[in-house]
C-alpha cells in the first residue's frame, strides 16, 4: 500500500474515531447541541474523505461501488498494513 | 445488522517480533475481561434495556469492543508473523502454536478457552450495567498489567489507546446507570 493511500486511510480512521466518541457521548446526552454540532461537522468531513478514498482505491464496505475486478478484496487487509506513526492528540 | 468496514479503529503498530508478548496479550482476545467478552456481553444485554439511551450505548460500545477485538488479534498476528518456529519453541506461545499455529485463538493467557460463562445478562438493567462498569474497570486493570509486561513501543501505544477507551466506556455506563435508575423511579407508584 503506497504512502498516499495509507495517509488517506489513516485520515479516515482519525475522523472515524472522533465520530465514535461523539456517538457514545450523544447516546447518553442526546440533547447536547454543542456535541451534535461537533458530530455533524465530523460526519460531513468523514463522508468527503470516505468518498475520495473509495473512488481512488475501491470500497471499504460491501455497499460501495467497484471497478472490475471486485476491488473490495484487494489487499492489504487492515491487519496487514504497516501504519505510519501518528499523533492523534 | 452489522457492516464490516475495512479499517482498524486505530493504527496498530508493532516494533518487534515477540511471540512471548503475543501469548500474554491473547488474554484480551479470549480472556474473561477481554474484548470478546465485552462485545458479546453488551450486545446480548440490549434486548431487555428499558430506555433508548441504554439500547444505544450497549449497541455502540458492544460494536466498538468488536473493533478492539480485531486490534488485539492484529497485535498477536504482527508479533508472531515473522517468527521462525525455533524462535517460538521455548516461549509460552508454543502451547498455543501446537494447536492453532499462528492463528490468534480466543483463549486466555493461560490457555483457557473463551466461554459464555465469562458474561451474564440478567433482564435487570441495574444489575447488567453494574456488571458492565465492573467489566470496564477489570479490562483497564488488565491493560495496565500488559503495559507493565511489554517493552515494545508500538504495542504500548495501542495498549494505552485501548486502556483509555475502557475509561471512557466506564464513564458512559455510569451515565447510563443514572438514566435507567431515574426511569425506574419514574415508573414506581405504590
Ligand atoms: Fe470497553
Amino acid at each position: 500500500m503506497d504512502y498516499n493511500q495509507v495517509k488517506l486511510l489513516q485520515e479516515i480512521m482519525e475522523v472515524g474515531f472522533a465520530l465514535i466518541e461523539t456517538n457514545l457521548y450523544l447516546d447518553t446526552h442526546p440533547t447536547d447541541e454543542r456535541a451534535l454540532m461537533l458530530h455533524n461537522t465530523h460526519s460531513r468531513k468523514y463522508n468527503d474523505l470516505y468518498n475520495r478514498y473509495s473512488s481512488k482505491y475501491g470500497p471499504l464496505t460491501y455497499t460501495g461501488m467497484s471497478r472490475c475486478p471486485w476491488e473490495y478484496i484487494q489487499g492489504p487487509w487492515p491487519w496487514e498494513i504497516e501504519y505510519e506513526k501518528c499523533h492523534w492528540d | 445488522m452489522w457492516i464490516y468496514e475495512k479499517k482498524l479503529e486505530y493504527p496498530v503498530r508493532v516494533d518487534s517480533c515477540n511471540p512471548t508478548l503475543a501469548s500474554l496479550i491473547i488474554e484480551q482476545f479470549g480472556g474473561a475481561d477481554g474484548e470478546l467478552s465485552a462485545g458479546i456481553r453488551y450486545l446480548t444485554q440490549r434486548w431487555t434495556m428499558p430506555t433508548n439511551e441504554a439500547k444505544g450505548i450497549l449497541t455502540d460500545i458492544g460494536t466498538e469492543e468488536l473493533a478492539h477485538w480485531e486490534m488485539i488479534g492484529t497485535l498477536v498476528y504482527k508479533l508472531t508473523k515473522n517468527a521462525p518456529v525455533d524462535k517460538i519453541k521455548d516461549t509460552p506461545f508454543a502451547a498455543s502454536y501446537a494447536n492453532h499455529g499462528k492463528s490468534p485463538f480466543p483463549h486466555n493467557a493461560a490457555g483457557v478457552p473463551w466461554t459464555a460463562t465469562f458474561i451474564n445478562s440478567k433482564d435487570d438493567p441495574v444489575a447488567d450495567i453494574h456488571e458492565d462498569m465492573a467489566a470496564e474497570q477489570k479490562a483497564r486493570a488488565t491493560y495496565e498489567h500488559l503495559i507493565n509486561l511489554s517493552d515494545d513501543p508500538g504495542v504500548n501505544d495501542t495498549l494505552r489507546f485501548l486502556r483509555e477507551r475502557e475509561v471512557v466506556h466506564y464513564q458512559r455506563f455510569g451515565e447510563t446507570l443514572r438514566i435507567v435508575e431515574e426511569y425506574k423511579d419514574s415508573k414506581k407508584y405504590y
Side-chain angles (χ1 to χ4, degrees):
Chain A
M1 188 179 268
D2 74 58
Y3 176 76
N4 289 324
Q5 185 177 356
V6 184
K7 227 186 115 211
L8 187 53
L9 181 64
Q10 284 189 219
E11 261 180 80
I12 294 173
M13 290 161 70
E14 192 171 340
V15 181
F17 176 65
L19 285 171
I20 289 175
E21 270 292 70
T22 51
N23 170 23
L24 297 189
Y25 182 84
L26 285 165
D27 285 351
T28 56
H29 306 77
T31 59
D32 188 320
E33 291 192 34
R34 264 190 65 210
L36 272 165
M37 250 173 55
L38 198 64
H39 180 82
N40 291 340
T41 307
H42 282 102
S43 173
R44 195 172 313 114
K45 202 170 167 196
Y46 186 82
N47 292 332
D48 289 348
L49 288 167
Y50 201 96
N51 291 336
R52 191 141 62 87
Y53 183 95
S54 331
S55 63
K56 260 189 167 155
Y57 306 111
L60 289 168
T61 61
Y62 74 88
T63 51
M65 288 193 287
S66 170
R67 286 165 289 251
C68 186
W70 180 225
E71 290 167 306
Y72 173 71
I73 56 165
Q74 271 171 20
W77 281 73
W79 53 90
E80 297 162 344
I81 297 171
E82 294 295 333
Y83 296 96
E84 303 294 323
K85 246 190 187 157
C86 71
H87 300 279
W88 279 14
D89 31 28
Chain B
M1 77 165 289
W2 276 265
I3 292 183
Y4 184 66
E5 286 203 330
K6 219 173 133 198
K7 62 181 172 65
L8 297 180
E9 183 183 346
Y10 184 81
V12 172
R13 288 183 303 108
V14 165
D15 295 323
S16 59
C17 174
N18 193 336
T20 299
L21 184 54
S23 76
L24 304 171
I25 285 174
I26 205 87
E27 182 67 31
Q28 286 302 78
F29 197 70
D33 305 320
E35 301 295 352
L36 185 62
S37 292
I40 303 301
R41 175 187 298 111
Y42 306 153
L43 294 175
T44 301
Q45 292 172 348
R46 297 181 305 152
W47 278 276
T48 48
M49 282 294 145
T51 73
N52 288 332
E53 290 90 340
K55 290 168 201 170
I57 207 73
L58 284 168
T59 300
D60 297 329
I61 295 184
T63 301
E64 188 185 357
E65 304 294 9
L66 296 182
H68 295 168
W69 187 71
E70 183 183 38
M71 289 172 62
I72 294 290
T74 301
L75 282 176
V76 172
Y77 168 75
K78 287 190 169 186
L79 280 165
T80 57
K81 71 172 180 286
N82 294 324
V85 184
D86 61 294
K87 285 278 187 279
I88 288 172
K89 245 182 211 159
D90 299 319
T91 73
F93 186 74
S96 182
Y97 181 86
N99 188 347
H100 309 294
K102 289 179 179 178
S103 171
F105 191 80
H107 56 62
N108 72 7
V112 180
W114 190 84
T115 149
T117 55
F118 291 162
I119 68 163
N120 212 339
S121 191
K122 296 297 292 179
D123 186 7
D124 183 310
V126 172
D128 281 346
I129 305 238
H130 271 101
E131 171 176 333
D132 303 344
M133 292 174 73
E136 294 296 334
Q137 289 301 332
K138 289 188 278 183
R140 177 193 51 75
T142 307
Y143 279 119
E144 288 172 13
H145 298 157
L146 290 173
I147 289 164
N148 293 341
L149 290 163
S150 160
D151 45 23
D152 181 307
V155 170
N156 280 338
D157 180 58
T158 288
L159 293 176
R160 274 193 288 266
F161 172 85
L162 291 169
R163 178 199 171 278
E164 193 59 37
R165 296 311 294 153
E166 311 303 359
V167 176
V168 171
H169 292 170
Y170 177 77
Q171 173 77 26
R172 298 285 95 89
F173 280 134
E175 293 153 2
T176 307
L177 181 63
R178 189 177 36 77
I179 291 167
V180 299
E181 274 174 339
E182 274 168 16
Y183 175 83
K184 240 180 79 189
D185 290 344
S186 76
K187 289 274 142 183
K188 242 181 225 158
Y189 37 90
Y190 298 95

